Amino acid sequence: MTQIPESELILNADGSVYHLHLHPDQIGEIIFTVGDPERVPEVSKYFDRIDFKVAKREFITHTGWMGDRKVSAMSTGMGTDNVEIFMTELDALVNIDLKTRLIKPVHTSLQIVRLGTSGTIHADIPVGSFLASETAIGLDTLMQFYPDLECDQSIAQALRKTLDLKFDPYQAEGSKSLLNQLSSDFSRGLTLTAPGFYAPQGRKLRIPAAITQYLERLESFRFGEKRITNFEMETAGYYAMGELLGHEVLSLNAILANRATGEFDKKAEKTVDLMISAALKLLL
């Protein structure tokens, strides 16, 4: 068995994994993630107790207990580039022996649940609602550097034609077992993961758009009975890395903006808190 070199799996002086600054015993069996580091305590306030806190760059971790389950709340920052770091190092904590630098013979699968915010492009999806991403399409290039995903790519290819893209988007699926634990409070949808907040999500301030009628094309896109329900910046990366690494991953979205109606949720903080509370009750 080949030992992983120090240059490839970088550890801190205390033996913790490089970016997350964590040791294997400092994460839970189920991990709730947020983009904003300031939102971590908004999740961990629901824990029965918090045993451990660490902060390194945008990666903040609170680990504790809810009932008899060890749980973590962690922030990733924005974008699939951060998600790639997060998922790879999180996997290393459970599936690589950090002392010997050898891959463990028995694989450990984590449950990872993103608690995020999102915008919709359809007038009939109201702000303040909750949506679980059943499938995600990535408009970023992360998967150009990894092996092909096993899941069907037909929706992603159809979207490429609709938008006249010069690159291949990728398609990845959320955990069916985690989806099945949700109540009807969470609708299910097809999420578009964008590599930015402005032009990649159809916003224009001072720079003109390269793709004409971008939002209109997305709003009218259909694949059978499926339509694109919402935009955000991480889900496809989570799902793709989850498939490749063998973890159960689910992305939950608080819909704060409606691009079709021009609305933004005036009670955004309350909406996010309600989603966090609902998710913890259902999944723990």
Side-chain angles (χ1 to χ4, degrees), residues 112-233:
I112 302 161
V113 181
R114 172 187 175 269
L115 302 171
T117 59
S118 187
T120 182
I121 57 175
H122 297 287
D124 63 339
I125 300 177
V127 296
S129 61
F130 308 147
L131 185 144
S133 301
E134 193 167 25
T135 302
I137 306 295
L139 295 182
D140 60 292
T141 58
L142 178 61
M143 285 301 111
Q144 299 296 316
F145 299 90
Y146 283 97
D148 291 341
L149 299 171
E150 292 183 2
C151 69
D152 179 57
Q153 298 293 307
S154 56
I155 303 176
Q157 288 303 307
L159 184 62
R160 178 186 181 181
K161 293 179 181 178
T162 295
L163 295 178
D164 298 319
L165 298 175
K166 299 176 182 178
F167 61 91
D168 282 323
Y170 62 95
Q171 178 177 338
E173 306 293 327
S175 165
K176 289 181 173 55
S177 63
L178 291 175
L179 271 169
N180 289 336
Q181 295 182 47
L182 298 179
S183 70
S184 59
D185 290 338
F186 289 85
S187 62
R188 298 187 181 191
L190 172 60
T191 296
L192 192 65
T193 295
F197 186 77
Y198 289 97
Q201 294 188 35
R203 292 183 174 93
K204 181 177 68 173
L205 301 185
R206 293 203 319 111
I207 304 173
I211 301 176
T212 59
Q213 296 184 311
Y214 183 52
L215 287 181
E216 291 82 359
R217 293 194 208 184
L218 290 175
E219 193 281 331
S220 62
F221 175 79
R222 298 291 185 277
F223 190 87
E225 296 182 356
K226 293 184 180 292
R227 62 177 183 170
I228 293 167
T229 51
N230 62 307
F231 271 126
E232 48 71 78
M233 295 174 59

Side-chain angles (χ1 to χ4, degrees), residues 17-36:
V17 72
Y18 187 55
H19 295 91
L20 301 186
H21 216 290
L22 294 172
H23 295 276
D25 62 345
Q26 293 173 330
I27 59 171
E29 61 187 274
I30 181 166
I31 295 159
F32 294 94
T33 72
V34 292
D36 184 354

